[in-house]
Amino acid sequence: MCPVIPGRTALVTGAMAALGTVALGGAAQANCAPPYATLFACDIPERNARVEFCEIRDDRPHPGRGDHSYNYSVGAAPAELYFEADGYYFSTKYMDSGDTVGVGLKHGNYVYAFYVTGKYLERVDSAQIQVFDSVDAFQSDAKEVEVERRYCAPGSIILNWDTIAP
């Protein structure tokens, strides 16, 4: 079950709580804790929230830890939603509207994803956070099937292009 998002019904009970960032006064920062490093992070101003997708980049064993983690927090409060996942899902469903790729992490029945549009290895033009109610919905070619969508503040986006690939 996902956390409840203020102003939303319990339809996604917390699914969106994973879609956020803390509005920061200066340059964007990521808070992935070791052994994790930032894969993607951004601020979601409309929620005063921060979302972070983290990954383990080394080859050492980390017993009991997932390869990836997801963190959604509002303001300076503790995370509303944090989970770890083994592996990730990749999506190109929006490639027809530019160089857009998506990465999703599964938690329960939901997939928490980010989509970035830009020029590979050079820049990010925009980013969104989306929540899907199944892996099938995330991986399908059908568009606009997410249960929640939030837009990242452009200056807050942090992305490690090197590890995003199908």
Side-chain angles (χ1 to χ4, degrees):
M1 180 181 262
C2 301
V4 176
I5 296 170
R8 296 282 302 179
T9 63
L11 169 67
V12 191
T13 319
M16 251 334 272
L19 295 185
T21 71
V22 174
L24 302 173
Q29 301 175 15
N31 297 307
C32 297
Y36 295 101
T38 304
L39 172 59
F40 173 87
C42 80
D43 294 340
I44 300 178
E46 69 190 71
R47 298 283 187 218
N48 186 32
R50 181 163 189 80
V51 65
E52 297 175 340
F53 290 75
C54 307
E55 63 184 344
I56 295 177
R57 293 191 190 139
D58 62 49
D59 292 331
R60 295 176 300 155
H62 297 277
R65 304 304 300 261
D67 295 339
H68 293 81
S69 69
Y70 178 91
N71 183 31
Y72 174 86
S73 57
V74 174
E80 279 190 33
L81 180 62
Y82 174 87
F83 66 86
E84 295 177 8
D86 288 321
Y88 65 86
Y89 296 93
F90 190 79
S91 171
T92 58
K93 75 166 66 193
Y94 295 107
M95 282 295 280
D96 59 346
S97 58
D99 292 333
T100 302
V101 295
V103 171
L105 301 179
K106 186 174 186 291
H107 179 63
N109 292 327
Y110 292 93
V111 174
Y112 296 82
F114 66 85
Y115 283 89
V116 293
T117 301
K119 181 148 177 63
Y120 183 69
L121 295 176
E122 291 183 22
R123 71 176 193 280
V124 175
D125 297 327
S126 64
Q128 301 176 13
I129 305 300
Q130 296 184 14
V131 179
F132 296 85
D133 61 5
S134 68
V135 171
D136 288 342
F138 173 73
Q139 291 188 319
S140 77
D141 289 334
K143 297 174 177 77
E144 312 296 327
V145 296
E146 69 279 352
V147 295
E148 197 69 56
R149 176 186 298 208
R150 295 286 179 243
Y151 296 91
C152 296
S156 73
I157 299 166
I158 297 172
L159 174 67
N160 178 7
W161 277 117
D162 295 336
T163 57
I164 297 178

